[in-house]
Amino acid sequence: MKSIRIYLVVALLSTITLVNFVSALHGYRASMAEAQQLFDRQLADTASLLSAMPASADRPKVVERTGHLAFQVWSPGGRLLMRSANAPPQPINALEEGFENVNFSGQRWRVYSHFSSERNYWTQVAEPVGLHFHLADKVVLESVIPILLGLPVAGLLIWFVVGHGLKSLHLLADALRQKRADDLSPLPLENAPEELLPVVQSTNALLARLQASFERERRFSADAAHELRTPISAIKVHTHNLERELSQYRLPQSPLSLAKLQRSVERMAHLVEQILNLYRTTPDHYPAKFEPLDLHELAREVIAEQHADFAGRGQAIELTGGAAPLEADRFALTILLKNLLNNANKYTPENGRVEVNTRVDGDRVVLRVDDTGPGIAEEEYGRVFERFYRVGGDRHPVPVGGSGLGLSIVQHIARLHHAEIQLDKSKFGRGLSIQVRLPASPGYLSPKGDSSD
């Protein structure tokens, strides 16, 4: 049974029904024994009364109306003196003092035989045994029927009582459900029921271990970043010095090999940086610090920082739109913008165009980047977010180096901000358009469709 509430209701109702049944059975047997004693006393009293009545041996008296009772009065010599109309003319039972069950007239009777020493008569009084059981059954049914009728009411009350008792469990489940992926703070122990304390304590212990594990992972990534960046930077410096020395001393050189070495170092440095960014922006690991900011201003800063890359290739980059207030993690959103602009810079041909637009659409802030690059086929839209996936692989139509991690990082950051990503054809007729829709700042709403394109 999957529901604790249903299990408890069924178990409690079954227990109540079983206990009531056993109680009713015990009461039935006790009632029958008590009723038997009462009926026996009534038979004895009736026999004593009949033995005091006058009777004649010459003409046996037959009494017509006696209800359920049957009786006979006999002389010591075995002559019938008086009987009820429903009693047979012969002795109902042997003339011996005491009670006994016998059959006559087609049914079972309880018979009491009594000898009166004063009148010297034998009196036998009988009553149907079925009458006793009928009266006992009636008593038991009258006591059991209210219990049976009360079971649905009891079930309903138990349903609500159990539900109230499980309220703490629901509150604990809600507290766990509402926790953010990066919220590893312990659950409160105040007012927790005694039965849930072990669960809460175990959960808090698990959260503490996860917190410690994530902290170790963060320290490791920070140390790894430092340890990897330092030698790569040193290699870049050495290759630069090597180039100068070859030029200064007019030594034989192989410019092609040196250029390949420099490109490889640049690519390795970019790959290391992207791997670290991919790890750092994983929603489960990244300790986001949301703050109010304007996405338009942030885009302006990132474009200014990377403008030299666009200018170096003769590309025109333009920032359009207007203010786009939202609450976001500045560091993560900066990485997102850099990756989108870096992709646009790499895949847009020389003298191409790139446009960055920010606007507010209803309750969403929209960031859109359009370029005049080769674009991506629609059937590839779902795969470009996979790690290390590059459209066309080594036969990519644009001969530029890439790690295949840029859009995976963008997707991580979008998930961190509960944002949506849409790929489409560029507004320039060729190229790619990437649209990121982020939740706008609380309380800031604009008419749907408001655009500053």
Side-chain angles (χ1 to χ4, degrees), residues 61-340:
K61 183 178 180 181
V62 178
V63 180
E64 294 293 338
R65 296 181 178 180
T66 58
H68 297 287
L69 282 175
F71 66 87
Q72 293 174 334
V73 180
W74 297 87
S75 68
R79 299 185 63 183
L80 181 62
L81 305 178
M82 185 169 57
R83 70 178 178 89
S84 61
N86 56 354
Q90 64 273 16
I92 297 174
N93 193 24
L95 298 178
E96 296 176 356
E97 187 80 19
F99 294 93
E100 193 169 351
N101 292 336
V102 298
N103 295 329
F104 67 89
S105 299
Q107 58 182 331
R108 191 75 169 167
W109 296 75
R110 180 73 171 173
V111 180
Y112 175 62
S113 300
H114 171 66
F115 179 74
S116 173
S117 57
E118 296 179 358
R119 304 294 301 274
N120 204 25
Y121 292 163
W122 276 98
T123 305
Q124 291 187 324
V125 182
E127 193 172 44
V129 174
L131 178 63
H132 301 178
F133 287 103
H134 176 72
L135 293 175
D137 290 345
K138 188 177 179 181
V139 170
V140 171
L141 284 177
E142 287 180 351
S143 61
V144 168
I145 286 177
I147 296 175
L148 295 176
L149 294 177
L151 281 178
V153 179
L156 190 61
L157 292 175
I158 291 173
W159 176 267
F160 286 111
V161 170
V162 170
H164 181 73
L166 294 175
K167 185 178 179 182
S168 299
L169 194 59
H170 291 300
L171 292 176
L172 175 62
D174 288 340
L176 289 172
R177 193 181 303 115
Q178 292 173 5
K179 264 187 171 298
R180 299 195 312 273
D182 58 336
D183 182 9
L184 298 177
S185 59
L187 296 168
L189 288 172
E190 295 81 13
N191 302 322
E194 184 178 349
E195 291 77 6
L196 281 183
L197 277 178
V199 178
V200 177
Q201 289 170 345
S202 299
T203 304
N204 285 342
L206 175 62
L207 292 173
R209 291 198 297 273
L210 287 174
Q211 177 72 40
S213 174
F214 289 157
E215 188 60 33
R216 286 195 298 272
E217 294 285 343
R218 276 196 287 271
R219 284 201 299 270
F220 172 78
S221 64
D223 295 341
H226 176 73
E227 295 299 326
L228 288 172
R229 283 170 177 155
T230 302
I232 291 174
S233 299
I235 293 174
K236 290 171 70 174
V237 171
H238 290 320
T239 55
H240 178 72
N241 292 340
L242 177 61
E243 184 181 21
R244 290 185 55 189
E245 289 173 0
L246 290 175
S247 175
Q248 182 178 357
Y249 296 105
R250 301 179 184 277
L251 295 176
Q253 57 178 300
S254 175
L256 182 59
S257 298
L258 184 58
K260 286 182 178 179
L261 176 61
Q262 289 175 327
R263 284 199 298 272
S264 296
V265 172
E266 291 289 343
R267 183 174 181 182
M268 184 168 61
H270 177 70
L271 178 61
V272 168
E273 194 67 31
Q274 289 292 76
I275 290 175
L276 292 175
N277 284 337
L278 180 70
Y279 176 80
R280 286 187 298 192
T281 56
T282 301
D284 292 341
H285 293 177
Y286 187 72
K289 295 180 180 177
F290 287 79
E291 58 181 305
L293 56 88
D294 184 352
L295 183 59
H296 189 80
E297 289 300 320
L298 185 63
R300 187 193 305 279
E301 295 173 9
V302 176
I303 290 173
E305 186 179 332
Q306 296 191 225
H307 188 268
D309 296 334
F310 291 93
R313 302 191 64 194
Q315 296 168 340
I317 181 167
E318 183 181 10
L319 175 62
T320 62
L326 76 168
E327 287 192 359
D329 184 276
R330 177 179 290 274
F331 175 76
L333 217 53
T334 302
I335 293 178
L336 182 145
L337 280 164
K338 284 183 176 178
N339 275 280
L340 292 181

